[in-house]
Amino acid sequence: MQEASVQAIIDTDPGLDDAIAILYALRSPAFEVLGLTTVAGNIGLAATTRNAGRLLALARRTDIPVVAGASRPLKRPALDVASHIHGVDGVGGVPLPQAAAPALDGAVDWMAEQLANAPDKTVDLLALGPLTNVATLVERHPSQAVRIRRLIAMGGAVETHGNVSARSEFNFAADPEAVETVLGADLPLAIVPLDVTRQVRATHDYATQLATAARPEARKAGELIKAYFKGTDGRESRPLHDPCVMLLAAVPQLFKVERRHLDVCLTGGDSGALVSGTHAVDVAMGVDEGLALAQLSNVLVGSRNQPDRDQGR
Ligand code: BDR
Ligand code: CA
């Protein structure tokens, strides 16, 4: 399917599904990735930053910087519930090449600089982890934050059950105060919650198809999905949460988006849960799963229907 042009900063905590999302964006001719900013989430900041650099090395995109951000949530200790899914290295033990260059520090100031230097409302911020960096940007650099074209964030559970507690999803549960700040910032915000990401599921066959492709990024994406099955006791499929953010950015016609009014719960066992409230947010609630999976694999594998990223480079 035709992708719309996206100029983006990817804020991320790789993370197996983050890694697949990043590889997709790096291969897609529609994306101009300005940088990967990292945040603690699935694993600590040192590991998410190292993984970001290694993914760029795999994709031979050493022109793109990695900039390290927050090492902990705004006001509470880090959640430690994700390493059993993503492995102690954050990428399920899947080998990746060494990063070509050391990461920079100061993700939030770097984001503000990018936004200040780009024409107004041309840069998307694609948030794949806890919203700590994004909330800090809003607080520290409000006049740059409003220059964002779209903020698309994976997080929350609207009508479905959570994956951390009955109602809360990992990214939002990891830093609920950051979610509150971002909801209150009146940015052009779209949320991609579990309601929709659980509908985009990779099977073992899907992973094998990628893992046996010619391109290194596709093969690695297949390995990463296979690693995502480890420890799941024979599940038939795994949800591709973070890649849905990339798909909503580039191929919005795949999704059904609804305007909701939401707040975030800050206390108790369901902190981070989305509740009915006052902030108007676009929420992806439906998706064409078949087309979404085909789009991801076509770009990663490099089908004849997709222009090749390497052409002219
Ligand atoms: C989200 O939490 C993380 O474990 C994933 O990378 C994704 O961003 C899903 O709840
Ligand atoms: Ca993530």
Side-chain angles (χ1 to χ4, degrees):
M1 282 184 107
Q2 188 68 36
E3 295 172 305
S5 297
V6 182
Q7 189 180 32
I9 296 167
I10 302 176
D11 190 62
T12 179
D13 62 335
L16 288 163
D17 57 325
D18 300 71
I20 296 157
I22 290 165
L23 291 176
Y24 167 81
L26 295 176
R27 270 238 53 86
S28 162
F31 278 81
E32 182 189 349
V33 178
L34 298 177
L36 304 183
T37 55
T38 55
V39 63
N42 285 321
I43 195 95
L45 183 69
T48 61
T49 304
R50 184 186 63 224
N51 292 339
R54 290 181 172 185
L55 290 163
L56 292 173
L58 174 75
R60 302 174 307 285
R61 296 302 307 277
T62 48
D63 52 313
I64 298 174
V66 176
V67 195
S71 60
R72 46 164 299 170
L74 293 179
K75 294 192 176 163
R76 52 180 84 206
L79 278 184
D80 184 18
V81 296
S83 57
H84 73 283
I85 296 171
H86 299 269
V88 289
D89 63 354
V91 286
V94 172
L96 292 169
Q98 292 302 314
L104 308 171
D105 283 321
V108 171
D109 296 340
W110 182 88
M111 283 179 186
E113 198 182 313
Q114 299 303 307
L115 291 163
N117 291 340
D120 192 24
K121 306 235 184 292
T122 54
V123 174
D124 289 347
L125 184 47
L126 306 179
L128 312 182
L131 290 174
T132 320
N133 289 339
V134 184
T136 308
L137 174 74
V138 163
E139 284 175 345
R140 196 185 293 168
H141 299 286
S143 53
Q144 266 74 49
V146 295
R147 295 172 67 80
I148 293 171
R149 180 175 75 148
R150 298 178 296 186
L151 167 59
I152 307 181
M154 192 281 134
V158 176
E159 288 172 3
T160 188
H161 58 95
N163 59 3
V164 167
S165 74
R167 297 281 311 117
S168 69
E169 175 279 335
F170 177 78
N171 286 342
F172 285 8
D175 199 343
E177 287 76 17
V179 179
E180 185 184 42
T181 298
V182 170
L183 284 176
D186 205 19
L187 296 174
L189 170 64
I191 289 175
V192 184
L194 290 178
D195 305 67
V196 80
T197 65
R198 281 195 177 122
Q199 296 179 39
V200 179
R201 307 192 71 89
T203 59
H204 292 279
D205 284 352
Y206 187 81
T208 300
Q209 182 207 338
L210 289 171
T212 52
R215 288 189 190 285
E217 295 95 323
R219 285 206 304 275
K220 203 54 79 172
E223 283 180 56
L224 291 160
I225 296 172
K226 284 174 185 272
Y228 208 12
F229 279 98
K230 279 187 201 155
T232 61
D233 287 340
R235 290 209 196 156
E236 289 177 5
S237 63
R238 299 292 287 142
L240 298 178
H241 303 293
D242 293 336
C244 289
V245 169
M246 304 301 162
L247 292 172
L248 181 61
V251 202
Q253 61 272 30
L254 291 174
F255 294 85
K256 180 163 148 271
V257 176
E258 297 175 10
R259 178 55 64 102
R260 299 286 178 119
H261 289 82
L262 300 171
D263 279 323
V264 63
C265 172
L266 294 178
T267 54
D270 271 335
S271 54
L274 293 171
V275 291
S276 267
T278 53
H279 302 295
V281 183
D282 285 334
V283 183
M285 292 296 290
V287 61
D288 186 321
E289 183 198 18
L291 288 180
L293 289 170
Q295 182 67 21
L296 269 179
S297 61
N298 284 346
V299 168
L300 285 163
V301 169
S303 84
R304 269 176 297 190
N305 296 330
Q306 285 287 332
D308 195 326
R309 166 115 232 161
D310 293 337
Q311 272 171 15
R313 299 181 81 227

